[in-house]
Amino acid sequence: MATAAALPTKAPADNRLKMLDAAMTRHRHQPDALIEILHTAQELYGYLDLDCLKYVGRCLKVPPSRVYGVATFYNVFTLKPRGEHTCVVCLGTACYVKGTATILSALEREHHLEVGGTTPDGTLSLVSARCLGACGLAPVLVFDQEIAGRVTAETALARTRNWMEQP
Amino acid sequence: MIADDLAAVRERERTAISLSTARIAVCSAAGCISTGGAAVKDALGAAVIAHNLSGSVRVLGTGCLGLCHAGPLMRVTRGDAEPVLFTKTTPAFAERVIAGLPSGVLPLEQRCDLQQPFFTRQHRIVTSDAGIVDSERIEDYLAAGGYTALERTLAELHPEDVVREVSLSGLRGRGGAGYPTGLKWSTVAKAAGHGTFIVCNADEGDPGAFMDRSVLEGDPHRVLEGMAIAAYAVGAEQGYIYVRGEYPLAITRLKTAIRQAERMQLLGHRILDSQFNFRIDLRIGAGAFVCGEETALIASIEGKRGMPRPRPPFPAEAGLWGRPTLINNVETYANIAPIILHGGAHYATLGTERSKGTKVFALAGRIVNTGLVEVPMGMPLGEIIFDIGGGIPDERQFKAAQTGGPSGGCIPAAHLDLPVDYEALAGIGSIMGSGGLIVMDETSCMVDVARYFMEFCRDESCGKCVPCRAGTVQMHGLLTKMTHGTATDRDLALLEQLAELTTRTSLCGLGQTAANPVRSTLRHFHDEYLAHIHDHVCPAGVCAMNGEDPR
């Protein structure tokens, strides 16, 4: 059985579990709040590890199979830790027509990564998105929450190289 | 809050607006924010204080002003004078605008001609508040006549009257399928017992579509008001908005709007002192395209894997937790308040015989004016692309317009005179879809485009039914072979056969329409397939044709 102590905790004074519990209380531990709670857990911990999934399942009275099923069904949820920086490449139609595939392969080559992967030192994660809805500015990339429009392979490489050099 | 208090808020706000000498609206939709719109708005605010103009100049963050590629956009309105629109503004420019206001001299550069077809050919109903209403202030929405339709509904109309008015308007579902909204509402109203639900489908998954995002970010109260009127019409007390997790700004604005509406008793218990209760909760999507399908969306709200189930029973009879559920798209709800205010018959004067009103399109791809436009139904496709959209940049040739995302099709130049309505688009193998309109020039290879969409559907197939799960994988394999230059005539025949099979036998809309991009490109661009297969040449020069993945 997973205990609270088995949850991934980096910071010594960890309020994250408290916040997770508070979120579940707010939803009155309803099983149908599972997706909402997984959103909260991922916001708090950065990813969902198996102990966390078991813990949420037990609190909401949802079998582990279903929790795992839900966590792996949706693209947003990740069961692996993300890198310190994240570069999201939009592969929506407008961005594709304007050449994001070229930018993506340039990034993959440069950092020896496949999309969805993280560099061995844990600095950079490369992620693709279905469509960010900023099609007017295609091609669009997101560098750590910051949306950037009309990106070229050169600017994308410059930004990510910068991260790699000063982690 | 009762009607009199609401009238007082409106009056106060309108007085404040009439006393101001200038209103400066900065586009605060995600597009302009990402080009620095927030900094421009902050600079305006600081400059107003620095120049001691707080009493006379109002700065507002507003919904999408349309020309996304020229952002951040700024619209300055002074008294009764014609508004001025500035493009590509910066904080320094904002300072100059404010400094020039007292003497009435605005900068001459960076002005956008508001008489160009991009603006004059549009007809704004859904997006009418952009540039006028601050997205984060309910008072602004009220001053612009917001929530009058809800007031009128509760005070004067029976639920049946509301349904009749919506039926009369001829409004059809703006999510893409085009089901008559009035008919759906009356089905739910008839099925009603206790515990009917209202759902707003804001899971805008089609790549290249951003209409719903813009409406939610720019005018969230319009959607809430439409949902409240719908709830009254079908007898629901609980509503959900299922919004994409990829739209953080829309989520924030919706949360703010719901809180504001609750505080003014426009949502919640005893709305406007009537007997009507209605509450709205948000549900955040987690990145699954299939959740745009209504039964999958229901499963997702219930906290399960977003997998569709066979219909019937339709959600109108058995939806969320088995209860009758009304599901409409964002843009559909945004049309409701104007319909109630001006009458269904008035709405029905716009558009074609079977497609009424307006449609918002997101123009993107190889087109000069990328951005958001709202046009009457029935406008020829060519006018949208060339007159409003400004045509193709870099003196290239138009090749195809893609509507409806992965469920839609590619329309060739021969059909540019086609009027945009549900039946006309379906007639040539595409669909209206939710409103994404992506323009392609000769640098796009149609086989590669078909492969791109098939890859999308393959990845997003939920895996429940075999035709979609296996069909999309097989079709993607065949299309990849074509782009590698290794396909044969037999592969082409197999592709056609699989496309037909997947369309006819899949469980839900995703699988049933997954082959549309293939079928429409096969129909309109057959030569390109043949060039790939017989001549081992990609006419557009996109596919490597050497056994490598096309880039």
Side-chain angles (χ1 to χ4, degrees), chain A residues 32 69 73-76 91-93 96 98 130-131 133 136-137 150, chain B residues 34 69 213 244 286-287 300 304-306 370 448 451-452 456 459-460:
Chain A
D32 55 58
F73 183 85
Y74 294 96
N75 293 332
V76 163
L91 290 181
T93 321
Y96 187 79
K98 290 202 167 176
R130 279 294 173 218
C131 178
L137 303 168
R150 295 191 209 96
Chain B
S34 65
H69 70 104
R213 172 181 68 69
R244 284 185 92 197
S300 187
K304 300 174 190 151
R305 289 163 73 96
T370 54
D448 181 50
R451 190 201 59 84
Y452 164 81
F456 183 95
D459 292 350
E460 293 297 337

PDB file of all heavy atoms in Angstrom, chain A residues 32 69 73-76 91-93 96 98 130-131 133 136-137 150, chain B residues 34 69 213 244 286-287 300 304-306 370 448 451-452 456 459-460:
ATOM      1  N   ASP A  32     -16.013  10.964  -9.712  1.00  0.00           N
ATOM      2  CA  ASP A  32     -16.012  11.622 -11.022  1.00  0.00           C
ATOM      3  C   ASP A  32     -15.080  12.832 -11.075  1.00  0.00           C
ATOM      4  O   ASP A  32     -14.906  13.437 -12.132  1.00  0.00           O
ATOM      5  CB  ASP A  32     -17.444  11.988 -11.456  1.00  0.00           C
ATOM      6  CG  ASP A  32     -18.174  12.819 -10.438  1.00  0.00           C
ATOM      7  OD1 ASP A  32     -17.665  13.898 -10.102  1.00  0.00           O
ATOM      8  OD2 ASP A  32     -19.249  12.381  -9.979  1.00  0.00           O
ATOM      9  N   GLY A  69      -5.744   3.804 -16.255  1.00  0.00           N
ATOM     10  CA  GLY A  69      -6.374   3.923 -17.576  1.00  0.00           C
ATOM     11  C   GLY A  69      -6.597   5.369 -17.955  1.00  0.00           C
ATOM     12  O   GLY A  69      -6.310   5.790 -19.077  1.00  0.00           O
ATOM     13  N   PHE A  73      -4.637   7.658 -20.801  1.00  0.00           N
ATOM     14  CA  PHE A  73      -5.489   7.952 -21.969  1.00  0.00           C
ATOM     15  C   PHE A  73      -5.275   9.363 -22.470  1.00  0.00           C
ATOM     16  O   PHE A  73      -5.215   9.614 -23.665  1.00  0.00           O
ATOM     17  CB  PHE A  73      -6.960   7.761 -21.590  1.00  0.00           C
ATOM     18  CG  PHE A  73      -7.924   7.964 -22.728  1.00  0.00           C
ATOM     19  CD1 PHE A  73      -8.220   6.932 -23.590  1.00  0.00           C
ATOM     20  CD2 PHE A  73      -8.535   9.194 -22.935  1.00  0.00           C
ATOM     21  CE1 PHE A  73      -9.101   7.109 -24.650  1.00  0.00           C
ATOM     22  CE2 PHE A  73      -9.416   9.390 -23.988  1.00  0.00           C
ATOM     23  CZ  PHE A  73      -9.698   8.342 -24.849  1.00  0.00           C
ATOM     24  N   TYR A  74      -5.153  10.303 -21.528  1.00  0.00           N
ATOM     25  CA  TYR A  74      -5.097  11.714 -21.901  1.00  0.00           C
ATOM     26  C   TYR A  74      -3.659  12.184 -22.118  1.00  0.00           C
ATOM     27  O   TYR A  74      -2.774  11.870 -21.325  1.00  0.00           O
ATOM     28  CB  TYR A  74      -5.779  12.562 -20.827  1.00  0.00           C
ATOM     29  CG  TYR A  74      -7.252  12.298 -20.728  1.00  0.00           C
ATOM     30  CD1 TYR A  74      -7.772  11.406 -19.779  1.00  0.00           C
ATOM     31  CD2 TYR A  74      -8.143  12.908 -21.594  1.00  0.00           C
ATOM     32  CE1 TYR A  74      -9.134  11.154 -19.694  1.00  0.00           C
ATOM     33  CE2 TYR A  74      -9.510  12.659 -21.521  1.00  0.00           C
ATOM     34  CZ  TYR A  74     -10.000  11.788 -20.567  1.00  0.00           C
ATOM     35  OH  TYR A  74     -11.347  11.538 -20.494  1.00  0.00           O
ATOM     36  N   ASN A  75      -3.485  12.971 -23.188  1.00  0.00           N
ATOM     37  CA  ASN A  75      -2.134  13.402 -23.569  1.00  0.00           C
ATOM     38  C   ASN A  75      -1.460  14.311 -22.542  1.00  0.00           C
ATOM     39  O   ASN A  75      -0.242  14.349 -22.458  1.00  0.00           O
ATOM     40  CB  ASN A  75      -2.191  14.173 -24.898  1.00  0.00           C
ATOM     41  CG  ASN A  75      -2.582  13.276 -26.039  1.00  0.00           C
ATOM     42  OD1 ASN A  75      -2.323  12.068 -25.992  1.00  0.00           O
ATOM     43  ND2 ASN A  75      -3.225  13.826 -27.046  1.00  0.00           N
ATOM     44  N   VAL A  76      -2.275  15.061 -21.800  1.00  0.00           N
ATOM     45  CA  VAL A  76      -1.695  16.041 -20.881  1.00  0.00           C
ATOM     46  C   VAL A  76      -0.927  15.365 -19.746  1.00  0.00           C
ATOM     47  O   VAL A  76       0.077  15.878 -19.272  1.00  0.00           O
ATOM     48  CB  VAL A  76      -2.818  16.945 -20.308  1.00  0.00           C
ATOM     49  CG1 VAL A  76      -2.360  17.680 -19.064  1.00  0.00           C
ATOM     50  CG2 VAL A  76      -3.272  17.930 -21.359  1.00  0.00           C
ATOM     51  N   LEU A  91       2.050  21.341 -33.723  1.00  0.00           N
ATOM     52  CA  LEU A  91       1.956  20.638 -35.002  1.00  0.00           C
ATOM     53  C   LEU A  91       0.553  20.740 -35.591  1.00  0.00           C
ATOM     54  O   LEU A  91       0.088  19.868 -36.295  1.00  0.00           O
ATOM     55  CB  LEU A  91       2.366  19.167 -34.834  1.00  0.00           C
ATOM     56  CG  LEU A  91       3.847  18.912 -34.553  1.00  0.00           C
ATOM     57  CD1 LEU A  91       4.115  17.426 -34.433  1.00  0.00           C
ATOM     58  CD2 LEU A  91       4.730  19.505 -35.644  1.00  0.00           C
ATOM     59  N   GLY A  92      -0.157  21.832 -35.230  1.00  0.00           N
ATOM     60  CA  GLY A  92      -1.467  22.076 -35.829  1.00  0.00           C
ATOM     61  C   GLY A  92      -1.317  22.304 -37.329  1.00  0.00           C
ATOM     62  O   GLY A  92      -0.215  22.535 -37.820  1.00  0.00           O
ATOM     63  N   THR A  93      -2.446  22.284 -38.045  1.00  0.00           N
ATOM     64  CA  THR A  93      -2.376  22.352 -39.508  1.00  0.00           C
ATOM     65  C   THR A  93      -1.688  23.629 -39.999  1.00  0.00           C
ATOM     66  O   THR A  93      -0.830  23.580 -40.881  1.00  0.00           O
ATOM     67  CB  THR A  93      -3.785  22.278 -40.110  1.00  0.00           C
ATOM     68  OG1 THR A  93      -4.535  21.342 -39.360  1.00  0.00           O
ATOM     69  CG2 THR A  93      -3.737  21.851 -41.546  1.00  0.00           C
ATOM     70  N   TYR A  96       1.896  23.404 -39.392  1.00  0.00           N
ATOM     71  CA  TYR A  96       2.478  22.381 -40.261  1.00  0.00           C
ATOM     72  C   TYR A  96       2.683  22.942 -41.661  1.00  0.00           C
ATOM     73  O   TYR A  96       3.751  22.776 -42.267  1.00  0.00           O
ATOM     74  CB  TYR A  96       1.577  21.145 -40.298  1.00  0.00           C
ATOM     75  CG  TYR A  96       2.180  19.982 -41.036  1.00  0.00           C
ATOM     76  CD1 TYR A  96       3.127  19.173 -40.417  1.00  0.00           C
ATOM     77  CD2 TYR A  96       1.819  19.690 -42.347  1.00  0.00           C
ATOM     78  CE1 TYR A  96       3.702  18.101 -41.083  1.00  0.00           C
ATOM     79  CE2 TYR A  96       2.383  18.616 -43.024  1.00  0.00           C
ATOM     80  CZ  TYR A  96       3.328  17.827 -42.391  1.00  0.00           C
ATOM     81  OH  TYR A  96       3.889  16.779 -43.053  1.00  0.00           O
ATOM     82  N   LYS A  98       3.161  25.883 -42.427  1.00  0.00           N
ATOM     83  CA  LYS A  98       4.246  26.861 -42.412  1.00  0.00           C
ATOM     84  C   LYS A  98       5.568  26.284 -41.909  1.00  0.00           C
ATOM     85  O   LYS A  98       6.497  27.015 -41.572  1.00  0.00           O
ATOM     86  CB  LYS A  98       3.825  28.063 -41.579  1.00  0.00           C
ATOM     87  CG  LYS A  98       2.739  28.873 -42.279  1.00  0.00           C
ATOM     88  CD  LYS A  98       2.682  30.276 -41.769  1.00  0.00           C
ATOM     89  CE  LYS A  98       1.825  31.130 -42.678  1.00  0.00           C
ATOM     90  NZ  LYS A  98       1.673  32.488 -42.137  1.00  0.00           N
ATOM     91  N   ARG A 130      -0.982  19.464 -30.284  1.00  0.00           N
ATOM     92  CA  ARG A 130      -1.914  19.271 -31.387  1.00  0.00           C
ATOM     93  C   ARG A 130      -2.254  20.578 -32.077  1.00  0.00           C
ATOM     94  O   ARG A 130      -2.300  20.682 -33.272  1.00  0.00           O
ATOM     95  CB  ARG A 130      -3.201  18.633 -30.855  1.00  0.00           C
ATOM     96  CG  ARG A 130      -3.066  17.158 -30.695  1.00  0.00           C
ATOM     97  CD  ARG A 130      -2.903  16.581 -32.045  1.00  0.00           C
ATOM     98  NE  ARG A 130      -2.607  15.171 -32.025  1.00  0.00           N
ATOM     99  CZ  ARG A 130      -1.758  14.629 -32.870  1.00  0.00           C
ATOM    100  NH1 ARG A 130      -1.106  15.369 -33.723  1.00  0.00           N
ATOM    101  NH2 ARG A 130      -1.546  13.342 -32.855  1.00  0.00           N
ATOM    102  N   CYS A 131      -2.568  21.577 -31.301  1.00  0.00           N
ATOM    103  CA  CYS A 131      -2.848  22.909 -31.833  1.00  0.00           C
ATOM    104  C   CYS A 131      -3.030  23.814 -30.633  1.00  0.00           C
ATOM    105  O   CYS A 131      -3.756  23.493 -29.717  1.00  0.00           O
ATOM    106  CB  CYS A 131      -4.122  22.940 -32.677  1.00  0.00           C
ATOM    107  SG  CYS A 131      -4.498  24.609 -33.284  1.00  0.00           S
ATOM    108  N   GLY A 133      -4.011  26.942 -30.939  1.00  0.00           N
ATOM    109  CA  GLY A 133      -5.036  27.938 -31.227  1.00  0.00           C
ATOM    110  C   GLY A 133      -4.487  29.324 -31.470  1.00  0.00           C
ATOM    111  O   GLY A 133      -5.210  30.298 -31.418  1.00  0.00           O
ATOM    112  N   GLY A 136      -2.855  32.281 -36.103  1.00  0.00           N
ATOM    113  CA  GLY A 136      -2.543  33.521 -36.805  1.00  0.00           C
ATOM    114  C   GLY A 136      -1.062  33.845 -36.768  1.00  0.00           C
ATOM    115  O   GLY A 136      -0.583  34.644 -37.544  1.00  0.00           O
ATOM    116  N   LEU A 137      -0.340  33.223 -35.831  1.00  0.00           N
ATOM    117  CA  LEU A 137       1.079  33.533 -35.660  1.00  0.00           C
ATOM    118  C   LEU A 137       1.973  32.370 -36.072  1.00  0.00           C
ATOM    119  O   LEU A 137       3.148  32.327 -35.730  1.00  0.00           O
ATOM    120  CB  LEU A 137       1.361  33.861 -34.187  1.00  0.00           C
ATOM    121  CG  LEU A 137       0.537  35.003 -33.612  1.00  0.00           C
ATOM    122  CD1 LEU A 137       0.679  35.057 -32.114  1.00  0.00           C
ATOM    123  CD2 LEU A 137       0.982  36.315 -34.220  1.00  0.00           C
ATOM    124  N   ARG A 150       5.746  33.005 -35.152  1.00  0.00           N
ATOM    125  CA  ARG A 150       6.660  33.148 -36.296  1.00  0.00           C
ATOM    126  C   ARG A 150       8.083  32.736 -35.945  1.00  0.00           C
ATOM    127  O   ARG A 150       9.048  33.471 -36.170  1.00  0.00           O
ATOM    128  CB  ARG A 150       6.643  34.579 -36.810  1.00  0.00           C
ATOM    129  CG  ARG A 150       5.283  34.953 -37.389  1.00  0.00           C
ATOM    130  CD  ARG A 150       5.327  36.257 -38.128  1.00  0.00           C
ATOM    131  NE  ARG A 150       4.012  36.874 -38.041  1.00  0.00           N
ATOM    132  CZ  ARG A 150       3.678  37.797 -37.138  1.00  0.00           C
ATOM    133  NH1 ARG A 150       4.561  38.230 -36.280  1.00  0.00           N
ATOM    134  NH2 ARG A 150       2.469  38.283 -37.111  1.00  0.00           N
TER     135      ARG A 150
ATOM    136  N   SER B  34       0.585  37.055 -26.976  1.00  0.00           N
ATOM    137  CA  SER B  34       1.879  36.424 -27.198  1.00  0.00           C
ATOM    138  C   SER B  34       2.808  37.297 -28.033  1.00  0.00           C
ATOM    139  O   SER B  34       3.995  37.042 -28.115  1.00  0.00           O
ATOM    140  CB  SER B  34       1.718  35.041 -27.838  1.00  0.00           C
ATOM    141  OG  SER B  34       1.177  35.180 -29.115  1.00  0.00           O
ATOM    142  N   HIS B  69      -2.381  38.480 -37.257  1.00  0.00           N
ATOM    143  CA  HIS B  69      -0.990  38.491 -37.702  1.00  0.00           C
ATOM    144  C   HIS B  69      -0.338  39.851 -37.518  1.00  0.00           C
ATOM    145  O   HIS B  69       0.868  39.991 -37.604  1.00  0.00           O
ATOM    146  CB  HIS B  69      -0.908  38.075 -39.176  1.00  0.00           C
ATOM    147  CG  HIS B  69      -1.464  39.113 -40.099  1.00  0.00           C
ATOM    148  ND1 HIS B  69      -0.678  39.929 -40.839  1.00  0.00           N
ATOM    149  CD2 HIS B  69      -2.734  39.487 -40.351  1.00  0.00           C
ATOM    150  CE1 HIS B  69      -1.446  40.761 -41.542  1.00  0.00           C
ATOM    151  NE2 HIS B  69      -2.696  40.496 -41.255  1.00  0.00           N
ATOM    152  N   ARG B 213     -11.908  29.605 -28.850  1.00  0.00           N
ATOM    153  CA  ARG B 213     -10.962  30.192 -27.913  1.00  0.00           C
ATOM    154  C   ARG B 213     -11.156  31.708 -27.859  1.00  0.00           C
ATOM    155  O   ARG B 213     -11.236  32.298 -26.782  1.00  0.00           O
ATOM    156  CB  ARG B 213      -9.523  29.893 -28.338  1.00  0.00           C
ATOM    157  CG  ARG B 213      -8.494  30.635 -27.521  1.00  0.00           C
ATOM    158  CD  ARG B 213      -7.064  30.354 -27.948  1.00  0.00           C
ATOM    159  NE  ARG B 213      -6.708  30.871 -29.256  1.00  0.00           N
ATOM    160  CZ  ARG B 213      -6.577  32.150 -29.557  1.00  0.00           C
ATOM    161  NH1 ARG B 213      -6.785  33.074 -28.641  1.00  0.00           N
ATOM    162  NH2 ARG B 213      -6.262  32.524 -30.776  1.00  0.00           N
ATOM    163  N   ARG B 244     -10.784  23.079 -23.254  1.00  0.00           N
ATOM    164  CA  ARG B 244      -9.452  22.499 -23.488  1.00  0.00           C
ATOM    165  C   ARG B 244      -8.436  22.986 -22.473  1.00  0.00           C
ATOM    166  O   ARG B 244      -8.361  24.188 -22.202  1.00  0.00           O
ATOM    167  CB  ARG B 244      -8.915  22.948 -24.853  1.00  0.00           C
ATOM    168  CG  ARG B 244      -9.490  22.281 -26.022  1.00  0.00           C
ATOM    169  CD  ARG B 244      -8.748  22.774 -27.252  1.00  0.00           C
ATOM    170  NE  ARG B 244      -7.623  21.899 -27.554  1.00  0.00           N
ATOM    171  CZ  ARG B 244      -6.622  22.228 -28.352  1.00  0.00           C
ATOM    172  NH1 ARG B 244      -6.558  23.422 -28.884  1.00  0.00           N
ATOM    173  NH2 ARG B 244      -5.670  21.371 -28.606  1.00  0.00           N
ATOM    174  N   ALA B 286      -8.109  17.204 -20.964  1.00  0.00           N
ATOM    175  CA  ALA B 286      -6.746  16.759 -20.696  1.00  0.00           C
ATOM    176  C   ALA B 286      -6.061  16.312 -21.982  1.00  0.00           C
ATOM    177  O   ALA B 286      -5.197  15.452 -21.973  1.00  0.00           O
ATOM    178  CB  ALA B 286      -6.751  15.656 -19.649  1.00  0.00           C
ATOM    179  N   GLY B 287      -6.468  16.906 -23.086  1.00  0.00           N
ATOM    180  CA  GLY B 287      -5.771  16.624 -24.327  1.00  0.00           C
ATOM    181  C   GLY B 287      -6.177  15.318 -24.979  1.00  0.00           C
ATOM    182  O   GLY B 287      -5.389  14.386 -25.058  1.00  0.00           O
ATOM    183  N   SER B 300     -15.850  11.830 -20.237  1.00  0.00           N
ATOM    184  CA  SER B 300     -14.740  12.567 -19.653  1.00  0.00           C
ATOM    185  C   SER B 300     -15.206  13.433 -18.483  1.00  0.00           C
ATOM    186  O   SER B 300     -14.515  13.540 -17.468  1.00  0.00           O
ATOM    187  CB  SER B 300     -14.077  13.425 -20.738  1.00  0.00           C
ATOM    188  OG  SER B 300     -12.913  14.020 -20.247  1.00  0.00           O
ATOM    189  N   LYS B 304     -14.035   9.594 -16.579  1.00  0.00           N
ATOM    190  CA  LYS B 304     -13.562   8.342 -17.183  1.00  0.00           C
ATOM    191  C   LYS B 304     -12.700   8.613 -18.407  1.00  0.00           C
ATOM    192  O   LYS B 304     -12.558   9.757 -18.834  1.00  0.00           O
ATOM    193  CB  LYS B 304     -14.768   7.495 -17.608  1.00  0.00           C
ATOM    194  CG  LYS B 304     -15.673   7.122 -16.451  1.00  0.00           C
ATOM    195  CD  LYS B 304     -16.900   6.423 -17.003  1.00  0.00           C
ATOM    196  CE  LYS B 304     -17.944   6.251 -15.904  1.00  0.00           C
ATOM    197  NZ  LYS B 304     -19.305   6.247 -16.465  1.00  0.00           N
ATOM    198  N   ARG B 305     -12.171   7.535 -18.991  1.00  0.00           N
ATOM    199  CA  ARG B 305     -11.494   7.656 -20.280  1.00  0.00           C
ATOM    200  C   ARG B 305     -12.514   8.185 -21.288  1.00  0.00           C
ATOM    201  O   ARG B 305     -13.659   7.744 -21.293  1.00  0.00           O
ATOM    202  CB  ARG B 305     -11.001   6.295 -20.748  1.00  0.00           C
ATOM    203  CG  ARG B 305      -9.838   5.740 -19.976  1.00  0.00           C
ATOM    204  CD  ARG B 305      -9.696   4.245 -20.215  1.00  0.00           C
ATOM    205  NE  ARG B 305      -9.181   3.920 -21.535  1.00  0.00           N
ATOM    206  CZ  ARG B 305      -7.901   3.674 -21.808  1.00  0.00           C
ATOM    207  NH1 ARG B 305      -7.022   3.703 -20.848  1.00  0.00           N
ATOM    208  NH2 ARG B 305      -7.505   3.389 -23.012  1.00  0.00           N
ATOM    209  N   GLY B 306     -12.085   9.137 -22.116  1.00  0.00           N
ATOM    210  CA  GLY B 306     -13.019   9.736 -23.056  1.00  0.00           C
ATOM    211  C   GLY B 306     -13.279   8.845 -24.241  1.00  0.00           C
ATOM    212  O   GLY B 306     -12.747   9.062 -25.322  1.00  0.00           O
ATOM    213  N   THR B 370      -4.209  36.578 -41.723  1.00  0.00           N
ATOM    214  CA  THR B 370      -4.579  35.479 -40.832  1.00  0.00           C
ATOM    215  C   THR B 370      -5.294  36.090 -39.647  1.00  0.00           C
ATOM    216  O   THR B 370      -4.921  37.139 -39.152  1.00  0.00           O
ATOM    217  CB  THR B 370      -3.363  34.686 -40.333  1.00  0.00           C
ATOM    218  OG1 THR B 370      -2.448  35.591 -39.740  1.00  0.00           O
ATOM    219  CG2 THR B 370      -2.692  33.955 -41.448  1.00  0.00           C
ATOM    220  N   ASP B 448       0.800  14.547 -48.878  1.00  0.00           N
ATOM    221  CA  ASP B 448       1.417  14.764 -47.578  1.00  0.00           C
ATOM    222  C   ASP B 448       0.402  15.329 -46.575  1.00  0.00           C
ATOM    223  O   ASP B 448       0.396  14.962 -45.408  1.00  0.00           O
ATOM    224  CB  ASP B 448       2.615  15.714 -47.714  1.00  0.00           C
ATOM    225  CG  ASP B 448       3.306  15.949 -46.377  1.00  0.00           C
ATOM    226  OD1 ASP B 448       3.612  14.945 -45.708  1.00  0.00           O
ATOM    227  OD2 ASP B 448       3.508  17.107 -45.995  1.00  0.00           O
ATOM    228  N   ARG B 451      -1.689  12.553 -45.462  1.00  0.00           N
ATOM    229  CA  ARG B 451      -0.905  11.750 -44.517  1.00  0.00           C
ATOM    230  C   ARG B 451      -0.853  12.422 -43.143  1.00  0.00           C
ATOM    231  O   ARG B 451      -0.998  11.785 -42.111  1.00  0.00           O
ATOM    232  CB  ARG B 451       0.519  11.566 -45.054  1.00  0.00           C
ATOM    233  CG  ARG B 451       1.362  10.565 -44.282  1.00  0.00           C
ATOM    234  CD  ARG B 451       2.850  10.806 -44.512  1.00  0.00           C
ATOM    235  NE  ARG B 451       3.237  12.152 -44.089  1.00  0.00           N
ATOM    236  CZ  ARG B 451       3.542  12.479 -42.843  1.00  0.00           C
ATOM    237  NH1 ARG B 451       3.533  11.573 -41.899  1.00  0.00           N
ATOM    238  NH2 ARG B 451       3.842  13.731 -42.526  1.00  0.00           N
ATOM    239  N   TYR B 452      -0.674  13.760 -43.167  1.00  0.00           N
ATOM    240  CA  TYR B 452      -0.621  14.526 -41.919  1.00  0.00           C
ATOM    241  C   TYR B 452      -1.905  14.335 -41.106  1.00  0.00           C
ATOM    242  O   TYR B 452      -1.862  14.053 -39.908  1.00  0.00           O
ATOM    243  CB  TYR B 452      -0.413  16.010 -42.239  1.00  0.00           C
ATOM    244  CG  TYR B 452      -0.719  16.935 -41.105  1.00  0.00           C
ATOM    245  CD1 TYR B 452       0.217  17.159 -40.094  1.00  0.00           C
ATOM    246  CD2 TYR B 452      -1.958  17.574 -41.010  1.00  0.00           C
ATOM    247  CE1 TYR B 452      -0.077  17.996 -39.030  1.00  0.00           C
ATOM    248  CE2 TYR B 452      -2.249  18.408 -39.952  1.00  0.00           C
ATOM    249  CZ  TYR B 452      -1.317  18.619 -38.967  1.00  0.00           C
ATOM    250  OH  TYR B 452      -1.615  19.443 -37.918  1.00  0.00           O
ATOM    251  N   PHE B 456      -2.722  12.300 -37.497  1.00  0.00           N
ATOM    252  CA  PHE B 456      -3.473  12.902 -36.403  1.00  0.00           C
ATOM    253  C   PHE B 456      -4.567  11.949 -35.918  1.00  0.00           C
ATOM    254  O   PHE B 456      -4.678  11.647 -34.726  1.00  0.00           O
ATOM    255  CB  PHE B 456      -4.092  14.221 -36.893  1.00  0.00           C
ATOM    256  CG  PHE B 456      -4.836  14.986 -35.839  1.00  0.00           C
ATOM    257  CD1 PHE B 456      -4.212  15.996 -35.132  1.00  0.00           C
ATOM    258  CD2 PHE B 456      -6.162  14.705 -35.549  1.00  0.00           C
ATOM    259  CE1 PHE B 456      -4.888  16.714 -34.165  1.00  0.00           C
ATOM    260  CE2 PHE B 456      -6.853  15.408 -34.581  1.00  0.00           C
ATOM    261  CZ  PHE B 456      -6.209  16.418 -33.883  1.00  0.00           C
ATOM    262  N   ASP B 459      -3.247   8.829 -34.143  1.00  0.00           N
ATOM    263  CA  ASP B 459      -2.820   9.088 -32.775  1.00  0.00           C
ATOM    264  C   ASP B 459      -3.985   9.363 -31.844  1.00  0.00           C
ATOM    265  O   ASP B 459      -3.930   9.067 -30.656  1.00  0.00           O
ATOM    266  CB  ASP B 459      -1.872  10.299 -32.725  1.00  0.00           C
ATOM    267  CG  ASP B 459      -0.549  10.018 -33.399  1.00  0.00           C
ATOM    268  OD1 ASP B 459      -0.309   8.836 -33.736  1.00  0.00           O
ATOM    269  OD2 ASP B 459       0.235  10.963 -33.602  1.00  0.00           O
ATOM    270  N   GLU B 460      -5.051   9.969 -32.388  1.00  0.00           N
ATOM    271  CA  GLU B 460      -6.157  10.368 -31.526  1.00  0.00           C
ATOM    272  C   GLU B 460      -7.274   9.348 -31.461  1.00  0.00           C
ATOM    273  O   GLU B 460      -8.213   9.515 -30.685  1.00  0.00           O
ATOM    274  CB  GLU B 460      -6.707  11.729 -31.981  1.00  0.00           C
ATOM    275  CG  GLU B 460      -5.735  12.879 -31.777  1.00  0.00           C
ATOM    276  CD  GLU B 460      -5.395  13.130 -30.306  1.00  0.00           C
ATOM    277  OE1 GLU B 460      -6.200  12.745 -29.429  1.00  0.00           O
ATOM    278  OE2 GLU B 460      -4.315  13.679 -30.028  1.00  0.00           O
TER     279      GLU B 460
END
